[in-house]
Amino acid sequence: MTVTLALDAMGGDKGPLMVLSGAEMALKKNPALNFLLYGCVDTLEEGIKNLPFMAHNLNKKIRIIPTTEVVTNDMKLTAALRARNSSMWQAVKSVADEETQAVVSAGNTGAYMALSKILLKSLDGVDRPAIPAVIPSFNKPIIMLDLGANLECSPENLVQFSLMGEEFARQLLGVQNPTIGLLNVGKEELKGHAELHKAAYMLRAIPEINFHGFVEGDDIAKGTVDVVVTDGFSGNISLKTMEGTATLIRNYLHEALSSTWRGKLGFLVAKPAFDRLRKQFDPRLYNGAVFLGLKKIAVKSHGGTDPVGFANAIGVAARMVEHNFSAHVQQRVDLLKNNTASDIELKPTKAMV
Amino acid sequence: MTVTLALDAMGGDKGPLMVLSGAEMALKKNPALNFLLYGCVDTLEEGIKNLPFMAHNLNKKIRIIPTTEVVTNDMKLTAALRARNSSMWQAVKSVADEETQAVVSAGNTGAYMALSKILLKSLDGVDRPAIPAVIPSFNKPIIMLDLGANLECSPENLVQFSLMGEEFARQLLGVQNPTIGLLNVGKEELKGHAELHKAAYMLRAIPEINFHGFVEGDDIAKGTVDVVVTDGFSGNISLKTMEGTATLIRNYLHEALSSTWRGKLGFLVAKPAFDRLRKQFDPRLYNGAVFLGLKKIAVKSHGGTDPVGFANAIGVAARMVEHNFSAHVQQRVDLLKNNTASDIELKPTKAMV
């Protein structure tokens, strides 16, 4: 299936050449891809010359669309939304105009999400789109959301996130009947905020889904459920805590193994095992977050990623297009249409853990 | 300095023998300790017979106080508060009555915190006590709070936590002028909830402290600040995420190193380095959380700890008594008396990250 993707060539900390190399990698892997590259013509043309596979496909599979503005990471949202000739704005717009089927950007997350909401519109019944992440856990990757688009969430938001995350797990990870868990400070029904109690009550009332109940912070890495649902504040902190902990352990391990000759020798002998381990946790392989809840596909790449990671994000976008993802999400969200569980009132608690 | 501690011998998943062995270890290390052991006389007397050092000190440094009730982990708070002849109730009461100088329990956290608040009273100017944890970070341990006593926190709560956590870092870790960071979804001033903005504004108005600003989830393990302050919901999730991630990496590492002969051999050669690493992250060495904001000292041990961990919690309690900890915390909280920064109004935001 031919898939045409818009790439924001000016987004990401490493600039257009990273995006170009990522596109080249993705194209080698999947020749059915076509790209519209939005950005500075001179830079892109010069860059493509140095990438033989891209250069060879120029005029056939790649078109450069010149744009004059760039949405930077420190730009205010209002300024980003005014920059109509930015690579980001034009790339997202091309999806709205059905020139392309999905957009990938490694640029300013807030601006990208806001633009996508405005230009691509939310699905019916979705109050706010969410940002998911794919996370390594014991024996399988899982989905966690929201990762920062929504700091405060109503029970209704959390229920919508659950349905959207569940469909993302199905399409991206190939899990048939994904289990859903609400992140909380305890597994017992009475633990946590009233909002969580209400969300759990509403989820239990949807027979079509596999709701597990509450999960705790350590259940993420355990892989207790396929989809961990939380508000954007806790989600962001949890994800970054994970990254920080992994880096800390890697640093300690490196120090321990490089400070004595026995450590150094042992590391050399076991190097293939360490290499395998590094690969399992390689964040580039988990790169590519679909903005969930939009009518069309927008994929966010990490700003700091390299071509391998960007190619992975392109792969996620292509997969979502092939699977007709947005229509599937709409079907799942429609399950809420006749859900009357949201009528219950729960009085707020400030319960102790 | 002679220190007399009350031990809740019936608290903890492993029962009175764990508490006894922990007490024996602590006593060997610090002969200036005296214990009042609250619990079932028969079990304790029988247990002490099998611990030569304890048995030798019986009648000199250890007294058993018989209690008939036990606060279990699944007990409702109301029931726990009615159990006046429980080992927990009596142990906490002995501190209130000044028979002992501090209490250590590995029992039901919610009940223990509630009892401590009722019997030991909050310091002047402290609205709610908080639970801190000591966490390994790059090159030094740090303090994080709240770890679950307060799910929702006002700016004023967060400011009080900051001052209490700062004093805990000074007394426990020996940091002279601890830096304080508020956990948020970004470092920039405009990121996150309005509550956090107000708390930051109030903290900046206290010249006597070293307020760093906002920190993110990965700053915990980086050791960016000495004290990470957050609400109990995010704190609980962050701490458990950390534990889960560490376990996941350990499991993967174990699998990688045990699945090939090269891995196994490399592990054997580098074993001393791995042992050192394991020791650095040994959670038992970080065990012992002082309930911050009370007029007297109550220390919570992890429920699942072993004698080494419990001895560590006893050591924390003794240190806090020796340092006259509560009086120092009162002095820090008194810094807020003339703080007028709390008068500002900040309008709520639902800002995107």
Side-chain angles (χ1 to χ4, degrees), chain B residues 70-192:
Chain B
V70 176
V71 173
T72 56
N73 274 335
D74 52 4
M75 209 172 208
K76 282 205 175 157
L77 192 54
T78 45
L81 295 181
R82 272 197 308 267
R84 297 219 162 184
N85 199 23
S86 70
S87 55
M88 187 186 277
W89 211 95
Q90 291 294 327
V92 178
K93 186 71 168 39
S94 75
V95 185
D97 294 345
E98 304 200 337
E99 287 178 71
T100 59
Q101 292 156 289
V103 50
V104 184
S105 173
N108 181 324
T109 309
Y112 185 31
M113 175 53 116
L115 269 176
S116 300
K117 262 161 85 172
I118 294 168
L119 296 171
L120 307 182
K121 315 284 182 209
S122 296
L123 292 171
D124 298 332
V126 172
D127 297 320
R128 303 192 206 164
I131 305 178
V134 186
I135 291 174
S137 86
F138 204 65
N139 287 333
K140 61 171 184 198
I142 64 156
I143 302 294
M144 180 153 99
L145 77 165
D146 177 40
L147 268 309
N150 309 281
L151 294 188
E152 287 173 43
C153 294
S154 68
E156 289 74 17
N157 294 150
L158 293 172
V159 171
Q160 292 163 20
F161 294 175
S162 300
L163 294 168
M164 303 191 305
E166 189 237 22
E167 189 58 30
F168 190 46
R170 187 176 292 114
Q171 302 296 343
L172 187 75
L173 309 178
V175 186
Q176 272 316 302
N177 194 13
T179 50
I180 301 165
L182 281 175
L183 194 59
N184 198 350
V185 295
K187 289 175 181 62
E188 303 81 357
E189 266 186 51
L190 292 170
K191 290 286 169 83

Side-chain angles (χ1 to χ4, degrees), chain A residues 88-100:
Chain A
M88 186 187 277
W89 211 96
Q90 291 294 328
V92 178
K93 186 73 169 40
S94 75
V95 185
D97 294 345
E98 305 198 337
E99 287 179 71
T100 59

